[in-house]
Amino acid sequence: MRRRLRLTYVLLIGALLGALAVPLGLAYAQQRTHQLLLDRRADATHLAGLAEQAVREGGPAEADLAAEVRRYTWLYGAGAEVRDATGAVLAAGGGVGDGARDARHGALAGRTTERLPLVTPFGPRRVTVAEPAGRDAQVVGTVLLVAPADAARRDVALVWAALAAGAIAMFAAAYVAAGRLARWTLRPVAELDAATEAIAAGQLHARAPVGGSGPSELRRLEERFNAMADTVAAVVERQRAFVADASHELRTPLAVLTLRVENLRSELTDPGSQDYERALDEIDRLSALLDDLLALAQVESGTPAAVEPVDVVGEVRPRLEAWAEVAEARGIDFTVRLPEELTARCVPQTAGRVLDVAVDNALKFTPEGGRVDVSLADAAGEVVLRVADDGPGLPPDELAVARDRFWRSPRHSNVDGSGLGLALADELARASGGSLDLLAREPHGLVTRLRLPLQPSGARQ
């Protein structure tokens, strides 16, 4: 937008400069052409007077005319030709060429040259001026001058060059001024864009600077944007605080409820044992849901998480050993490929918690006899944790929404889970400056891929 605004300013200024410089240049060319005509007509008039005297007196007057013509042609480098009314040449010098015939005929008719072609740096090189010799309607001869226009062309060229240089200098100054004006005008827009980008990335504390330069209307817009962002951030913070407080406060009565229900085991009869076990399962599910809500509220609290070098291999190895036992009990082939050492820059426990979510989902949906592959590697400067299964997988439309909170596939509504695992994993990945991707596996299955920034081997830890 800045480039377009600057281009608009420059085009308008260029059009204004052209509207001023072009008429000025043409006006000077016309004035210089008129001056040239007056100078050459004065010379032609002087020679016309001598020609009239030579025609009437002859003899010495003709000799004076010839001498004056030679002197004139030598002094100005011009061509001159004087003829009587019959067309006989009385004096000539420098050569006038055949192109002056029309002007000569006009002079015989008593017409003086009234205008010349416009003199510009590109031409004409010579101009023709004709003057009748005689008084009133008695034309006794003609004077024809073909004079060089070099001096006039040079003067016009100098003036045009000065105008062009001035226009270029003003255009350059206008270009710089237009750039500064565009920056000044759009600075609040750029600041608003940066603030909205930061807020969209999850930095709810980001605000547009207030009190800087720029149009007052856009500055007021920044102030109102900041007020709106404060209101939205306050609402979101209250919502998060409510979720965190509710999750925390509910844990205590839930723990008491669990204890009391477990104490009822000795009072149950055989017909009620099945319902009792289902009640305990629901309590466990509710406890897991509260834990996930509390963890998600803590991650989304808006407080910048501490990113530091983390030994990812050391973080995930103990968890994988525990998950290997679960996979063996379920009859699932569980393969793990880990490097000796790999360090990422992330929030501590990010890789471990995302691994738990991904492996838990993989083992839930992989049938007995299936396969789950876990790999950790350095790929293109990133730490990539990959969990792949050969379960039913998800169609493309469900892959796009699987990380939403409380989302569960309609095909898996009877499977245990809170629907917050992938949402929590996605928030942890973003807090660490990485990303979480869900990909389809061929011919069937799901791939959960976590990418984290790699800690350079030479960086300080």
Side-chain angles (χ1 to χ4, degrees):
M1 183 175 179
R2 180 182 299 175
R3 187 181 298 109
R4 293 193 295 270
L5 187 59
R6 187 176 196 172
L7 180 61
T8 301
Y9 290 154
V10 168
L11 288 177
L12 290 175
I13 294 171
L16 178 61
L17 289 175
L20 292 174
V22 172
L24 284 175
L26 292 177
Y28 179 79
Q30 292 172 350
Q31 185 271 335
R32 189 63 181 86
T33 302
H34 185 65
Q35 181 182 354
L36 176 62
L37 173 63
L38 293 179
D39 292 342
R40 298 293 81 81
R41 282 183 60 182
D43 297 337
T45 301
H46 172 66
L47 293 179
L50 296 178
E52 181 182 3
Q53 184 178 2
V55 171
R56 296 185 184 278
E57 299 178 3
E62 291 186 9
D64 293 341
L65 175 62
E68 186 67 18
V69 168
R70 286 193 301 270
R71 186 166 55 252
Y72 179 82
T73 57
W74 173 82
L75 181 62
Y76 293 103
E81 182 184 81
V82 180
R83 296 174 180 257
D84 60 15
T86 63
V89 177
L90 300 178
V96 297
D98 297 332
R101 185 178 303 171
D102 292 339
R104 186 184 301 116
H105 290 167
L108 285 174
R111 295 193 300 270
T112 301
T113 301
E114 297 292 342
R115 58 183 302 174
L116 295 177
L118 184 66
V119 176
T120 69
F122 313 105
R125 295 184 177 276
R126 301 169 72 85
V127 295
T128 301
V129 176
E131 183 73 17
R135 298 178 181 177
D136 299 328
Q138 297 179 353
V139 177
V140 297
T142 60
V143 176
L144 193 65
L145 299 181
V146 179
D150 296 339
R153 290 172 57 204
R154 182 172 58 252
D155 293 344
V156 174
L158 290 175
V159 172
W160 282 20
L163 288 174
I168 291 173
M170 294 178 64
F171 187 82
Y175 183 82
V176 175
R180 293 183 178 179
L181 179 60
R183 285 194 297 271
W184 176 82
T185 302
L186 296 179
R187 183 176 286 114
V189 178
E191 293 168 351
L192 283 171
D193 180 66
T196 53
E197 182 180 7
I199 292 176
Q203 303 175 21
L204 297 183
H205 62 280
R207 296 293 182 271
V210 178
S213 60
S216 58
E217 295 83 359
L218 293 179
R219 285 300 170 190
R220 286 197 299 271
L221 178 61
E222 284 188 322
E223 295 174 0
R224 293 167 183 170
F225 172 83
N226 288 342
M228 178 194 68
D230 291 339
T231 302
V232 172
V235 171
V236 173
E237 184 58 32
R238 286 196 295 269
Q239 180 185 14
R240 288 175 178 170
F242 171 76
V243 173
D245 293 342
S247 302
H248 181 75
E249 295 298 328
L250 287 174
R251 295 178 72 181
T252 299
L254 183 61
V256 174
L257 177 62
T258 303
L259 181 61
R260 291 184 176 179
V261 171
E262 288 178 348
N263 290 337
L264 293 176
R265 184 184 299 273
S266 59
E267 306 293 332
L268 293 176
T269 59
D270 290 340
S273 297
Q274 187 175 4
D275 291 336
Y276 174 81
E277 295 297 335
R278 289 177 180 174
L280 286 179
D281 290 341
E282 291 300 323
I283 291 176
D284 291 340
R285 179 179 177 185
L286 181 59
S287 178
L289 176 60
L290 290 178
D291 290 340
D292 288 343
L293 283 172
L294 183 59
L296 188 60
Q298 290 173 346
V299 173
E300 295 182 337
S301 63
T303 303
V307 176
E308 58 186 63
V310 175
D311 178 12
V312 182
V313 177
E315 187 173 285
V316 303
R317 191 186 298 276
R319 298 172 184 261
L320 288 172
E321 292 174 355
W323 283 114
E325 296 178 1
V326 176
E328 183 179 1
R330 297 183 181 181
I332 297 174
D333 185 11
F334 193 74
T335 61
V336 176
R337 293 188 299 276
L338 297 179
E340 292 296 327
E341 182 180 358
L342 195 58
T343 304
R345 286 196 61 81
C346 61
V347 177
Q349 300 303 318
T350 294
R353 299 187 71 169
V354 173
L355 174 71
D356 288 341
V357 172
V359 174
D360 183 38
N361 286 336
L363 295 180
K364 283 180 183 178
F365 299 107
T366 300
E368 183 178 356
R371 181 184 180 91
V372 174
D373 296 321
V374 180
S375 64
L376 184 65
D378 172 7
E382 292 182 321
V383 174
V384 179
L385 175 63
R386 186 175 182 272
V387 179
D389 63 67
D390 57 1
L394 294 174
D397 58 333
E398 293 186 356
L399 284 175
V401 297
R403 286 169 293 182
D404 293 349
R405 300 170 194 174
F406 299 106
W407 180 88
R408 303 187 69 184
S409 174
R411 298 178 290 113
H412 305 145
S413 57
N414 60 337
V415 179
D416 293 339
S418 64
L420 290 175
L422 287 175
L424 177 60
D426 186 51
E427 290 294 337
L428 285 170
R430 288 195 291 176
S432 298
S435 62
L436 182 71
D437 302 313
L438 300 178
L439 310 170
R441 186 184 187 187
E442 296 297 337
H444 56 81
L446 182 68
V447 177
T448 304
R449 184 178 65 189
L450 171 67
R451 295 187 295 180
L452 296 173
L454 178 68
Q455 171 71 13
S457 57
R460 296 176 58 187
Q461 299 189 15

